[in-house]
Every structure is written in C-alpha cells, then in structure tokens.
Amino acid sequence: MDFMKKARQRALEKDAADSLVRFRDRFYHIPGKIYMDGNSLGLAGKDAEGALLETLEEWKRLGIDGWLEGNPPWFRMGETLGAMMAPLVGAEAPEVVMTGGTTINLHALTSTFYNPREGRPKIVADELNFPSDIYALSSLIQLHGRDPKEDLILVKSRDGRTLHEDDIIASFKEDVGVALLPGVLYRSGQLLDIPRLVRAAHERGIIIGFDCAHSAGSVPHHLSDDGVDFAFWCSYKHLNGGPGSPGFLYLNKKHFSRSPGLAGWFGYVKEKQFQMNLDFEHSRSAGGWQIGTPSVFSGAALKGALKVFAEAGIEPVREKSLELTDYFIELVDKELAPLGYTVGTPREHSRRGGHVAVEHEEAWRICSALKKRGIVPDFRPPRVIRIAPVALYNSYEEVWEVAKALKEIVLSREYENFSKTPAAVS
Ligand SMILES: *Cc1c(COP(=O)(O)O)cnc(C)c1O
C-alpha cells in the first residue's frame, strides 16, 4: 500500500477512537463541503441556534422585562458570558466580560494603561500582528498628540513568519509603557511564550497584553496565573459565536481600581447603574470596562456556543487539535513537499495554535481550486493557505481529503484554470 492509502486507514482509525466525535453533529456541516476555516468563522451550531431562538421568544414574551427576566438577564449578559468564558482562558470569572468587539476592546484596554506623560511613551507591538491592532495603536498614540513613527515600536520578524521572544524582550526598554502582542499569530499560527514575555515585561515595569483572537477556543490559556495584565479576543472564530458576535476582554484583577480609558454607562456598578448619576463609578471587575448596551441576540448565540465548550472542556479540544494538525503536517512533509509546499507553522506543540499555514508560490490559485472542489480554506497574502481542522467538528478523514486535494491540484496543474487576482474577502 502506498503512503496515502495507509494514511487514510490511520485517519479512519483515529476517527473511530475520537472522544470528541459526539460533538460533530451539534454543528451544521455545509452539504458537499469540507470546512477548514473555523479560525476565521466557526460553523453554525445547533446549540447557538437554539439559544438564539430562545432569546427571540423572550423578546416576544417579555419585552423590556427581558433585561431582568431573560435567561440570563440581558442586563448581566456581559458578566454571565464572561464567567462562562473565563475557564477557557484560565481567568477568574470577574476578570472576563463579553463586550464590544476585538478592536474596540483593544482601545478600551490600551487607553486605560497608556499614559505617555508618565515618561514611558512607547508601545511595543510587532510587524506580523493583525493590521487592525496596528491601526488602533497608532491612533491611540496620535490621540495623545504624539507620533506613531516615533512611539510605536514594531518588533521585526527574522523570517517573515514568526517572532523570536528574544527580539521582543530586547525591545522592552525603559521608555516602553505598554506591550501588545498576539497570543497566536494569525498567519503562521505561531504561539508565543506568554509566561516568559510577561515575566520579562514586568521585570522592566511594562504593562503587557495579548490579542487572543486566534487562540481563544483552541488553545487553553492561563491568563491569571501567568500574570497577564490584559487581553481581548473575538468570539466568531474558534468560539463559533456567529458572524459579528461580540468580543471579550480580560483584565487582571490587580487593575480593577484603575479608571477605564473609554468609560460608558454599562461599566457602572451594576446595582447603581439606573440611579443615573453623572459621576462615573465603575464596577471593580472587567465589567467596568463595558461601554454600552450588549448585543443581546449575538450574545445569545454565543451562549449556546460556549455551552459546547463547557461540555467538551478546552483541554480535550487542544489535545485533538494538536493531533489533527500533527497528522496534517506529516502529510504535507511526506507527500506535498516535493510539489513546492512547505509548512510555515512552528512544529513544537508549545509554539503553535490551531491552524497550519501551508505555503506555496501559487497559494491564491490553489485556494481557488480547493474551493471549487468544495474545500473551504482561507488565503493570506502573499503565499499562505491556512488550514484549520477544528477539534469539535472536523475529522481526520477530512484532513486526509484536504491533503489529497492539495496534491492533485498541483500534480494536474488544476490551479492554472483560476485567476491570479485575489478576491476582496479571502
Ligand atoms: C480576527 C482578528 C481581529 C478582528 O478584529 P475585529 O475588531 O473583531 O474585527 C483582530 N485581531 C486579530 C489578531 C484577529 O485575528
């Protein structure tokens, strides 16, 4: 038997022994498609759908009373979902709140900590981070009347894929006030050594936060134990909250007494919010960093999605995710490397998240060919195909199908049938 045949056999055996397989049917698989894009938008789940429909019924039945009588009361939805989320990132319940969105939460948190007049005007980020984060940090620096060209330090990548913790730490100088780094890099899938970076930042008096958009729901974090000052993430990727579902923010409890940088009435001490005082008294919890009314329907779907994680546990999810990606990487190395494919993701488990970056000169056209065949990956320029087999709903057999398709598309030059110009949303 040739290698691919044996590999398929192994996939079937792994699927038969998979303890998470019971969750597969809790999601809507798109007929005829193999979905490998859960790191961009997780699949719709039946639990999310059910919770959303319940909330619609509550609106019909309760009207305004849903704010106190909904399940959970809509008024406390941010805090309730924060408490459901907290175990997945290793935080205490009051340290996490559902609110806003990724980039808004970045603003809410960094504006709380960045105070250039105190003599530390620089912010450390990196040149591989998601562009929105860089736009946001630049605008924060400008709001303080300063120049991002001077004050925003972007740590360079040595290979265009990954970051060296040594290089990041070397940029932690005494004029740096805040550092913001990705948990998992969105393109290569590298997972940074968070405890080491936190120790180094704190030794130098720097506040450090992480954008966990690509790790939340895939990689277990230990934000409290690691002493991370702040973090934020979205819920529509690995957490399967649905398109445009709300973000989360985490704030270490030692910072609860600080004044929120972007205050709003949903951050008021809950019991007194409706006294409508003009003096702002923020809740001494992550909830104090909420700005306005939560998106109740989006939050409802997310509540359903988080229930699945409460049942499955984040550790088994991580274990299977690593096995799926190990298996895929092995197929790329053995079968696809001779066709010009390489793996851009670090190999060590401790250094990677939930997706694999497959690189190829013809990445865009290969992606188009995969889509034509009913396989859903995504493309990140200039030459990365991201493959995200998701532990809760993907199988080893599907991973095998993807590897087989990647092989055939190049062998038969099928990709040459597609345009070289990338689409607007990829
Ligand atoms: C997806 C993602 C975002 C998206 O930001 P939104 O405000 O939710 O649109 C931000 N940062 C990273 C690293 C991401 O992966």
Side-chain angles (χ1 to χ4, degrees):
M1 258 202 305
D2 73 2
F3 175 79
M4 280 303 270
K5 270 199 185 148
K6 277 193 214 144
R8 179 153 190 280
Q9 200 51 47
R10 265 198 295 143
L12 298 178
E13 284 160 18
K14 281 171 174 288
D15 283 331
D18 174 12
S19 67
L20 294 181
V21 74
R22 66 187 193 278
F23 294 102
R24 185 174 164 88
D25 288 339
R26 302 262 290 262
F27 291 86
Y28 288 101
H29 293 265
I30 306 168
K33 301 231 186 224
I34 295 181
Y35 198 75
M36 288 284 149
D37 207 9
N39 61 325
S40 271
L41 179 64
L43 279 181
K46 294 176 185 169
D47 300 78
E49 177 187 50
L52 176 58
L53 293 175
E54 268 170 36
T55 304
L56 192 60
E57 287 306 315
E58 285 178 350
W59 182 27
K60 291 189 208 165
R61 196 161 39 82
L62 298 171
I64 187 83
D65 289 339
W67 288 103
L68 289 178
E69 293 170 22
N71 174 30
W74 306 338
F75 184 53
R76 294 186 181 272
M77 194 163 213
E79 287 81 356
T80 307
L81 269 80
M84 290 176 78
M85 181 72 222
L88 306 187
V89 290
E92 294 174 29
E95 292 178 315
V96 182
V97 68
M98 175 203 84
T99 184
T102 323
T103 311
I104 293 166
N105 294 344
L106 182 166
H107 279 293
L109 290 161
T110 53
S111 61
T112 300
F113 290 108
Y114 181 60
N115 193 348
R117 271 158 305 180
E118 285 174 356
R120 286 173 167 264
K122 303 223 160 103
I123 297 179
V124 165
D126 65 275
E127 66 170 6
L128 297 181
N129 203 344
F130 198 76
S132 191
D133 295 26
I134 304 304
Y135 309 152
L137 292 174
S138 299
S139 75
L140 173 65
I141 291 168
Q142 279 168 329
L143 273 175
H144 284 268
R146 306 186 62 97
D147 183 359
K149 283 200 203 75
E150 289 278 310
D151 289 340
L152 182 58
I153 312 291
L154 294 184
V155 176
K156 294 241 177 309
S157 164
R158 297 184 197 180
D159 61 1
R161 299 179 181 89
T162 56
L163 299 168
H164 274 252
E165 280 84 359
D166 293 333
D167 297 344
I168 298 171
I169 292 168
S171 74
F172 288 169
K173 306 248 169 67
E174 59 218 29
D175 54 358
V176 172
V178 176
L180 171 64
L181 295 156
V184 165
L185 276 68
Y186 78 96
R187 205 167 1 208
S188 67
Q190 180 192 8
L191 170 63
L192 288 176
D193 185 343
I194 293 177
R196 180 171 171 218
L197 293 170
V198 173
R199 277 195 306 276
H202 288 173
E203 277 163 17
R204 295 160 180 80
I206 296 169
I207 293 282
I208 185 164
F210 290 87
D211 179 339
C212 296
H214 264 280
S215 49
S218 159
V219 178
H221 283 303
H222 308 281
L223 298 177
S224 296
D225 281 351
D226 291 345
V228 172
D229 292 296
F230 68 91
F232 53 88
W233 55 93
C234 62
S235 62
Y236 46 80
K237 292 173 180 162
H238 287 285
L239 291 169
N240 315 315
S245 58
F248 283 98
L249 68 76
Y250 151 90
L251 184 68
N252 191 295
K253 62 176 187 274
K254 71 184 177 203
H255 298 304
F256 284 172
S257 60
R258 289 185 183 241
S259 295
L262 302 180
W265 79 310
F266 257 77
Y268 212 94
V269 175
K270 274 269 162 291
E271 293 67 30
K272 297 201 240 167
Q273 182 176 337
F274 272 86
Q275 292 175 7
M276 302 295 194
N277 300 322
L278 294 187
D279 291 332
F280 182 54
E281 183 184 342
H282 78 277
S283 165
R284 267 43 176 184
S285 68
W289 273 253
Q290 293 171 94
I291 299 171
T293 305
S295 302
V296 172
F297 287 139
S298 295
L302 177 54
K303 181 186 81 172
L306 288 177
K307 274 197 197 143
V308 179
F309 281 93
E311 278 179 54
I314 189 70
E315 295 293 343
V317 164
R318 172 66 167 163
E319 215 172 288
K320 179 177 168 190
S321 162
L322 284 170
E323 273 193 53
L324 283 164
T325 46
D326 275 344
Y327 174 72
F328 181 61
I329 288 172
E330 185 195 339
L331 298 189
V332 177
D333 285 346
K334 296 254 169 67
E335 284 292 306
L336 304 182
L339 301 169
Y341 289 102
T342 51
V343 172
T345 305
R347 305 301 173 114
E348 305 94 303
H349 287 178
S350 62
R351 293 187 66 227
R352 71 178 148 92
H355 71 269
V356 178
V358 182
E359 298 185 15
H360 196 284
E361 271 314 311
E362 288 289 349
W364 166 248
R365 294 205 286 175
I366 293 168
C367 264
S368 306
L370 282 173
K371 284 203 149 179
K372 185 83 194 287
R373 285 170 170 245
I375 293 172
V376 188
D378 67 18
F379 166 74
R380 288 293 173 266
R383 60 198 309 270
V384 173
I385 304 165
R386 294 191 307 184
I387 301 291
V390 171
L392 287 173
Y393 52 75
N394 285 124
S395 66
Y396 294 89
E397 190 184 10
E398 287 176 313
V399 171
W400 181 85
E401 291 285 352
V402 172
K404 174 169 160 277
L406 285 168
K407 183 176 172 183
E408 290 171 0
I409 286 166
V410 169
L411 267 183
S412 65
R413 301 187 156 270
E414 192 176 313
Y415 65 87
E416 289 180 356
N417 300 329
F418 297 87
S419 157
K420 285 192 169 178
T421 320
V425 176
S426 56

